[in-house]
Amino acid sequence: MSSQLPPAVSQPVRRRLDQVVGRIRVLRFTSGSARFVMRSVLALGGLYFADRLLHLPVIVRGVLLVLLAVFVLRELWLRVLAPQLRAPDRLDAARVVESVRPDIEGRLVSALQIEGGRAGSLESKVHGEAEQLCAGLDLRAVLTARPSLHELLRALGVAAAALLFVLLAQPPLEIFVQRMLLKNVAWPRDTVLSIEMASRSAVHVYSADTGVVAARGGVLHVSAGWEGLRPERPELVVLGADGSRSASMVRGADGLLTGNFVAQPGDTELFVRGGDDPGDATRLDLRVIEPPTLDDPRFRLTPPDYLRAASGADALPEVVGSEGLVVSEGTRVEVFGAPSTQATAAELRLLGEGLSVPLELSTDANGQQLRGSFTAWKSDSLTLVLTGDEDLESPEPAVHGLLVREDRPPTLRLYAPTRSDVKLTARAVVPIAVVAEDDHGVQRVELQMQLADGVLRETLRPDAQRPSQHRFVLDLAQRDFSGTLEYSLEAEDGRQLGERGPQLARLEGRRLDIVEDSEVQRLLSERQLRLKEAYSALGDRQDRASAELDVLLAEQDAWADSDLVAAGVAQGQVGNRLDREARELCAILEETLLNRLDPGPTAELVLQQRLADRAARPVDEIFAAQPWRDLADAYTGGRFGRLDVAGRLLDMVALGLKLSDELAPAASAALADARVQPSLESLQVAAAAQRALSETLDQLIDRMDEWEDYQEVLNLLKSLIDDQRSLRTRTQGVLTDDGRRN
């Protein structure tokens, strides 16, 4: 590039090549400057964002500034200065032109390299062709500006983007400049947090001047607002003697960030942080104090007066701990104890009812004491809340269970009369028997009968041995009862709890229908007829069972176990039916006695004996055969003389009970023995037991036939008597009318 052009080169050639050299310099300068500007802007922008995001310390910023200066100087030399200082000469320009225009065929380079010669020489000819070529051609056309323009456009784009960012984002460039001058200036933050707390709660007190005072164990709710960008990963941080602990904060419905923490001994400071805000401006002093508590409360229980009177003494412990809070309804509960630290106020809270009971504080030789009382009406949970320094309450006080046994109303079960609608004669006796129970005892059981002139009230007497069983015998013959008598039974307990008086249990919808003797006799006759048919059917079944056993006896020793089992089952079924029919026979006799259908003079003695037997037995006993057997034996022994209606029934009852209690079990037992030890003798014993059963059953059926005949004759006589009475009444009416006419 340092060689001199031969003087023989013409002026037009030199001018054309100088134009090419000038164009190359311009394009190189344009391209290098654009690249220098673009890279400088990018480097400067990278430095801005690095410092903006990372908040670089001064040392790091100084190092980066040195590196940036080196980078800028290097780019300035490589992209701008060096290309100008090392610019191409005419020979380089000629080579560039010939590389683009192969048709020049090296004439420009040759002309520059060959010195001029004589006219007509080869050198002269080469120079002439080069001059001729340059005369009609602009050599700058071989150079294209597209790469340089591309670099320029890139640089302009980067510059425009930077300018747009500055206009839209309005970054704090003055702060950036100061920081690049290594001044200790902080960036403005994207997020600025502010802490918010209620000035007071049950477990803390907050003041912007003094900070937060919290009760140990209390849960504090902290809120935080923000300005700028929404903070990422916001946290509530508490500093204490054991280090720091943090809790995540969430955005609430009000737009604030919320978080909670439990105050612990040794906590000294709290703040919130999130996003690019480290929370230095939100730091608050925190002081944790020990709240007063009642660790071992004691309770004095005083039951209601009516319960103490009913039991004769206070059945509950006088003083119990929280584990013994099981009381009766209306019990007076007194709480007392000593707080762990000095308290300024205290109250007992019933959580279920939402009630608060203030507690009194006093000081004696043993220190501070608290005391208070309330009445327990229903099961609940209670807490004892104490207030100490700064009027802070004991956080999360212990919850004590209170179980109240409510005074339940009495229960009333009626066992006699067994039916809700009973037909009776006007002379009948009605035994009334109930079981009345209550958790604290029944005070009164009353029969209430609606009459035309008012309400008849009779008190049922409790059994001396069984206090829950109450009885009363209503004798209809003592008053002039008629028609339908509606009655009810009412039981009352002894509850006395201020406005809560006794509780009642009632049985209603029952009645007594007083009818003619003939109607009651008709109903009993129908039952006796059905009973006779039942006994007759049992007689047939017993005869079949006996016949089957006779067949087994005829087979001598060919007895199959299945045959003996079948015989035993059949005999057992007969026994069960006999037991049921014996109960029905006793019921018919009892209704005959209670309705006083036997006109005999000693029938009243039998009735009184039966009433005494009922009073001696539990009212809820289903059936007892022994009193009926004793009553039948007493009649057979002549204690009651000779009775007509009742006597016949007593004889039949004696036979019925003998069948059900003696003969039927004996026959079943004999068959069972025969199955265990099958032999001719054991089968004969069983057959004899069955014959005895059949014979007695036949006797009973015969007695029933006689009773049926007797009832028919009796009904006929009563019909004749009724007809005679009717005729006499009509005759007297006619005579009375004739006397008035005369």
Side-chain angles (χ1 to χ4, degrees):
M1 293 184 185
S2 61
S3 60
Q4 298 295 325
L5 289 174
V9 178
S10 63
Q11 183 66 27
V13 174
R14 291 196 304 269
R15 187 174 61 251
R16 295 295 185 185
L17 292 176
D18 290 341
Q19 291 176 349
V20 174
V21 171
R23 176 64 62 88
I24 291 174
R25 285 175 176 273
V26 171
L27 293 179
R28 283 187 177 184
F29 179 79
T30 303
S31 176
S33 299
R35 189 171 296 181
F36 169 74
V37 171
M38 180 183 69
R39 293 191 176 186
S40 298
V41 171
L42 291 177
L44 194 60
L47 180 60
Y48 171 84
F49 285 109
D51 188 32
R52 187 73 171 86
L53 297 176
L54 303 178
H55 298 269
L56 301 175
V58 175
I59 296 177
V60 177
R61 279 181 275 152
V63 173
L64 291 179
L65 283 176
V66 172
L67 294 178
L68 179 62
V70 172
F71 174 77
V72 171
L73 292 176
R74 178 178 177 276
E75 288 295 315
L76 179 63
W77 170 255
L78 293 178
R79 307 301 176 189
V80 180
L81 299 179
Q84 299 301 319
L85 296 176
R86 300 173 183 175
D89 55 12
R90 292 172 182 165
L91 181 58
D92 294 330
R95 288 172 180 167
V96 172
V97 173
E98 289 181 356
S99 65
V100 178
R101 296 288 302 272
D103 57 324
I104 297 179
E105 298 178 351
R107 293 182 178 89
L108 294 177
V109 175
S110 299
L112 292 175
Q113 292 178 343
I114 299 175
E115 296 181 358
R118 296 186 304 270
S121 64
L122 178 62
E123 292 82 354
S124 177
K125 186 177 181 180
V126 170
H127 284 276
E129 291 178 355
E131 183 178 353
Q132 184 180 1
L133 178 64
C134 291
L137 181 63
D138 187 358
L139 298 181
R140 293 174 297 181
V142 301
L143 299 175
T144 176
R146 180 174 299 175
S148 298
L149 292 176
H150 181 69
E151 292 293 339
L152 181 60
L153 291 176
R154 288 175 59 187
L156 291 175
V158 171
L163 180 61
L164 186 62
F165 171 75
V166 171
L167 294 177
L168 296 180
Q170 296 182 356
L173 297 180
E174 64 280 1
I175 295 179
F176 176 64
V177 172
Q178 294 181 28
R179 289 180 64 83
M180 291 303 102
L181 293 176
L182 303 182
K183 294 182 179 180
N184 192 15
V185 179
W187 284 105
R189 302 192 178 279
D190 294 334
T191 301
V192 177
L193 294 172
S194 60
I195 196 167
E196 297 183 15
M197 289 186 67
S199 60
R200 172 174 290 277
S201 73
V203 295
H204 89 279
V205 177
Y206 166 64
S207 171
D209 298 330
T210 60
V212 180
V213 179
R216 179 188 59 81
V219 178
L220 276 68
H221 306 278
V222 180
S223 300
W226 76 87
E227 295 180 358
L229 298 180
R230 179 178 176 180
E232 297 180 358
R233 299 178 61 185
E235 292 180 327
L236 171 62
V237 183
V238 180
L239 303 180
D242 298 331
S244 64
R245 61 186 188 274
S246 60
S248 298
M249 304 184 74
V250 297
R251 186 176 182 181
D254 55 358
L256 297 177
L257 301 173
T258 59
N260 306 322
F261 75 96
V262 179
Q264 298 179 2
D267 290 345
T268 58
E269 193 175 13
L270 69 90
F271 61 92
V272 294
R273 66 188 178 192
D276 62 350
D277 190 345
D280 296 336
T282 64
R283 291 179 180 267
L284 294 176
D285 292 334
L286 175 61
R287 181 166 62 94
V288 179
I289 62 176
E290 188 70 23
T293 58
L294 187 62
D295 300 325
D296 186 24
R298 308 299 291 173
F299 301 89
R300 180 175 289 108
L301 310 178
T302 305
D305 294 339
Y306 80 98
L307 292 184
R308 288 187 292 173
S311 61
D314 188 359
L316 294 175
E318 182 181 3
V319 176
V320 299
S322 60
E323 71 282 354
L325 284 178
V326 181
V327 302
S328 298
E329 180 184 13
T331 297
R332 191 68 179 173
V333 181
E334 181 182 3
V335 58
F336 58 93
S340 60
T341 60
Q342 193 72 15
T344 59
E347 65 178 5
L348 182 147
R349 296 176 181 174
L350 294 172
L351 303 181
E353 295 189 22
L355 298 179
S356 297
V357 179
L359 303 179
E360 297 180 359
L361 295 172
S362 60
T363 304
D364 56 18
N366 297 323
Q368 190 178 44
Q369 304 290 325
L370 62 80
R371 187 178 304 274
S373 62
F374 68 98
T375 302
W377 295 111
K378 60 176 60 176
S379 298
D380 208 329
S381 298
L382 60 90
T383 60
L384 298 168
V385 181
L386 279 65
T387 303
D389 293 342
E390 303 289 344
D391 292 335
L392 298 183
E393 297 178 354
S394 49
E396 297 185 1
V399 179
H400 309 285
L402 173 62
L403 179 61
V404 176
R405 296 190 298 260
E406 296 184 7
D407 192 335
R408 297 185 299 272
T411 59
L412 188 61
R413 300 191 302 274
L414 178 64
Y415 287 90
T418 57
R419 300 187 302 274
S420 60
D421 186 3
V422 183
K423 294 183 182 300
L424 302 168
T425 65
R427 306 180 309 279
V429 173
V430 185
I432 299 175
V434 302
V435 173
E437 296 176 322
D438 185 71
D439 46 2
H440 300 299
V442 175
Q443 297 297 311
R444 175 182 60 86
V445 180
E446 187 177 78
L447 168 69
Q448 300 176 359
M449 183 173 293
Q450 188 67 41
L451 303 178
D453 55 350
V455 179
L456 174 65
R457 300 179 184 272
E458 297 288 350
T459 301
L460 278 67
R461 294 185 297 274
D463 194 304
Q465 298 179 350
R466 296 172 287 270
S468 63
Q469 300 182 6
H470 295 69
R471 292 182 172 90
F472 178 74
V473 178
L474 177 64
D475 192 349
L476 300 181
Q478 295 180 357
R479 296 189 60 170
D480 186 15
F481 292 112
S482 63
T484 298
L485 303 177
E486 295 184 354
Y487 70 96
S488 61
L489 292 160
E490 182 179 272
E492 178 184 281
D493 66 4
R495 187 179 74 171
Q496 297 293 337
L497 296 175
E499 296 180 356
R500 302 184 182 186
Q503 300 177 101
L504 303 177
R506 292 182 61 85
L507 290 176
E508 298 179 321
R510 310 185 73 86
R511 68 181 188 178
L512 303 175
D513 292 328
I514 299 178
V515 297
E516 297 291 338
D517 293 3
S518 59
E519 176 64 16
V520 177
Q521 289 175 345
R522 181 186 65 80
L523 295 175
L524 292 176
S525 298
E526 291 177 354
R527 292 174 62 183
Q528 292 164 3
L529 180 60
R530 291 193 296 269
L531 184 61
K532 174 190 171 184
E533 293 174 353
Y535 273 117
S536 298
L538 285 175
D540 295 338
R541 292 188 64 177
Q542 184 60 46
D543 292 341
R544 290 195 298 271
S546 299
E548 292 174 356
L549 188 58
D550 292 339
V551 172
L552 293 178
L553 284 172
E555 295 177 355
Q556 297 297 328
D557 57 352
W559 304 308
D561 183 70
S562 59
D563 295 334
L564 295 176
V565 170
V569 170
Q571 189 60 57
Q573 292 175 348
V574 171
N576 292 335
R577 289 288 303 277
L578 285 173
D579 184 66
R580 186 179 68 183
E581 305 308 337
R583 295 184 184 186
E584 174 64 11
L585 184 58
C586 292
I588 293 174
L589 172 57
E590 183 166 53
E591 292 199 20
T592 301
L593 293 174
L594 295 178
N595 282 281
R596 289 173 169 152
L597 294 178
D598 193 324
T602 59
E604 189 67 22
L605 296 177
V606 180
L607 173 60
Q608 296 303 321
Q609 181 62 45
R610 177 54 193 158
L611 293 177
D613 291 342
R614 288 178 63 100
R617 310 296 297 187
V619 300
D620 53 354
E621 186 177 57
I622 298 176
F623 178 75
Q626 189 60 42
W628 291 107
R629 191 180 295 110
D630 294 342
L631 189 64
D633 292 342
Y635 174 71
T636 304
R639 176 181 171 184
F640 303 113
R642 184 64 183 171
L643 295 174
D644 196 358
V645 177
R648 294 174 184 271
L649 288 174
L650 282 169
D651 291 338
M652 288 188 285
V653 165
L655 291 174
L657 293 176
K658 182 178 181 180
L659 286 170
S660 62
D661 295 348
E662 299 177 13
L663 299 180
S668 296
L671 284 173
D673 294 340
R675 183 189 174 194
V676 175
Q677 295 180 350
S679 64
L680 182 62
E681 291 77 8
S682 61
L683 288 178
Q684 289 175 347
V685 171
Q690 286 188 338
R691 284 194 298 273
L693 178 62
S694 297
E695 292 173 358
T696 306
L697 189 56
D698 291 339
Q699 294 178 15
L700 178 58
I701 294 174
D702 292 340
R703 294 288 182 90
M704 287 187 169
D705 289 337
E706 294 176 2
W707 171 261
E708 186 177 0
D709 295 339
Y710 171 77
Q711 288 291 99
E712 291 178 357
V713 173
L714 185 61
N715 291 335
L716 178 60
L717 290 176
K718 287 185 177 182
S719 177
L720 291 175
I721 292 173
D722 291 340
D723 292 342
Q724 181 62 38
R725 287 176 178 174
S726 176
L727 179 61
R728 180 181 177 182
T729 300
R730 290 197 298 271
T731 302
Q732 289 179 348
V734 172
L735 293 175
T736 301
D737 293 340
D738 291 342
R740 290 175 180 175
R741 285 195 296 268
N742 296 330

